[in-house]
Amino acid sequence: MADILEKMAQQFIAALPHAGRLGMVLDKVSPGRAVVSMPYDPMLIGDPSTRVIHGGAVSALMDTAGGAAVMSHPGGGIGTATLDLRIDYMRPATPDQTITAVAEVYHVTRTIAFVRAEAFDHDTDRPVAAATGAFTVPERKDGTR
Amino acid sequence: MKRPDPVTTVKKRRDAALAAITGQIPYIQFLGVSFDRHGDALTGVMEYSDDLIGNPVLPALHGGAIAAFLEITAIVGLTFATQWDRIEAGALDVESLTPGQLHLPKTIDFSVDYLRSGLPRDAYAQARVTRSGRRYASVHVEGWQDNRDRLFAQATGHFLMAAPHG
């Protein structure tokens, strides 16, 4: 099971062109939980005076990790879409450090998966950003939910 | 009474200020976002590229690319609005502005509402500064593709304002 999850999730990231463009890597996946990291890249800078990565790139990381968590959840499914995503930026990410997002499905219904996520740089005690989101749960092929 | 500046001078000054603001942010180039300006009204344009796809089966734009586009539009719109008086007064010396010199507002939080899946084509967005204070600002952004009235995403964000004359 773990192997299947792993394979599914690796393919998921590889199949997302935008995530690939941002250099994202799926580090870990378990049912309803995903860890995705994004290396530092000067192209992603939002403020040249501080060299801090733009919040938008962190949003993309959070969204990808959230989607991966939903897909790995037994009640979730392939082909989820984001309904809403709110991000709190707690502190600037340290330049030159990889950012890692940990996303977890904390509740799932027949139609919606609720996700929480946190992003860290090398300081794993103080999150860079936190997010909450709602994702769609796709209808099953057989018409059931 | 002072005669108004010729229209070409005014446009050049405004466009140079806008270019100075957007030129500060490498991520804007990475995403392929540009801005159309009419007076003080800005429309963000995210030109379609295969790199923006999040779901290749549909295909649909990546939710993260949409969020980033709306956040960029909010930051540029807010900066342009707060610098407008200085731009008009010719007080913003864009010629000697080096990257990083113009302090940009920092995002405190950003909340995106995905209304429709993003189609594989250009996207547009406009920001409205709902409230702009000395320390904090609240900005609402609307994003659309083919039809202005059919939004595909909207967002609200709070921003920490940069120090004055930064």
Side-chain angles (χ1 to χ4, degrees):
Chain A
M1 178 65 186
D3 287 351
I4 297 167
L5 270 181
E6 199 83 14
K7 194 158 178 257
M8 188 181 88
Q10 294 290 1
Q11 284 171 345
F12 159 71
I13 298 275
L16 295 176
H18 191 61
R21 186 76 179 79
L22 288 162
M24 287 184 204
V25 177
L26 186 100
D27 295 330
K28 231 188 249 177
V29 65
S30 55
R33 190 175 183 274
V35 182
V36 181
S37 61
M38 179 174 71
Y40 183 82
D41 190 320
M43 286 191 306
L44 309 181
I45 289 175
D47 187 345
S49 66
T50 57
R51 296 177 61 238
V52 171
I53 282 193
H54 195 276
V58 180
S59 298
L61 177 65
M62 293 291 212
D63 188 56
T64 305
V70 175
M71 290 193 190
S72 68
H73 194 283
I78 302 290
T80 182
T82 321
L83 277 175
D84 104 299
L85 188 72
R86 181 205 153 99
I87 306 202
D88 295 328
Y89 295 98
M90 276 108 89
R91 67 174 175 92
T94 310
D96 299 311
Q97 295 189 359
T98 292
I99 303 177
T100 303
V102 183
E104 206 158 12
V105 176
Y106 67 93
H107 185 73
V108 65
T109 72
R110 285 182 303 133
T111 45
I112 310 290
F114 297 92
V115 175
R116 283 195 198 103
E118 282 188 313
F120 302 87
D121 54 21
H122 291 182
D123 182 352
T124 53
D125 290 330
R126 297 188 308 135
V128 165
T132 53
F135 290 73
T136 62
V137 170
E139 270 182 81
R140 305 264 182 235
K141 283 258 162 60
D142 59 11
T144 64
R145 291 254 184 191
Chain B
M1 200 184 123
K2 189 177 170 281
R3 279 183 66 85
D5 286 335
V7 64
T8 47
T9 308
V10 171
K11 282 188 176 175
K12 207 176 144 198
R13 192 161 62 209
R14 292 174 183 171
D15 287 335
L18 177 61
I21 294 166
T22 57
Q24 299 258 316
I25 313 172
Y27 193 61
I28 291 183
Q29 277 82 56
F30 174 83
L31 267 193
V33 171
S34 59
F35 288 86
D36 288 343
R37 189 191 62 76
H38 293 109
D40 69 347
L42 301 182
T43 304
V45 181
M46 182 165 73
E47 202 179 312
Y48 176 74
S49 138
D50 291 343
D51 284 342
L52 297 175
I53 289 294
N55 183 334
V57 182
L58 289 176
L61 297 180
H62 193 290
I66 296 167
F69 173 47
L70 298 186
E71 193 179 328
I72 284 170
T73 305
I75 289 174
V76 172
L78 179 59
T79 307
F80 200 64
T82 52
Q83 295 288 337
W84 178 259
D85 290 344
R86 292 180 71 205
I87 297 166
E88 290 305 282
L92 188 73
D93 183 11
V94 293
E95 300 289 315
S96 62
L97 209 62
T98 56
Q101 215 184 346
L102 191 74
H103 291 288
L104 300 165
K106 305 251 181 303
T107 314
I108 300 165
D109 61 64
F110 202 69
S111 185
V112 185
D113 196 0
Y114 296 92
L115 305 167
R116 298 184 168 81
S117 71
L119 302 169
R121 57 189 78 145
D122 293 358
Y124 313 101
Q126 280 175 346
R128 186 166 46 83
V129 179
T130 318
R131 200 258 171 182
S132 177
R134 196 170 53 84
R135 295 171 72 194
Y136 310 111
S138 178
V139 183
H140 183 77
V141 196
E142 292 184 341
W144 72 97
Q145 293 193 294
D146 298 325
N147 308 110
R148 180 64 182 88
D149 292 335
R150 278 170 60 91
L151 301 183
F152 82 118
Q154 62 180 354
T156 305
H158 294 91
F159 297 86
L160 189 62
M161 301 307 290
H165 303 285

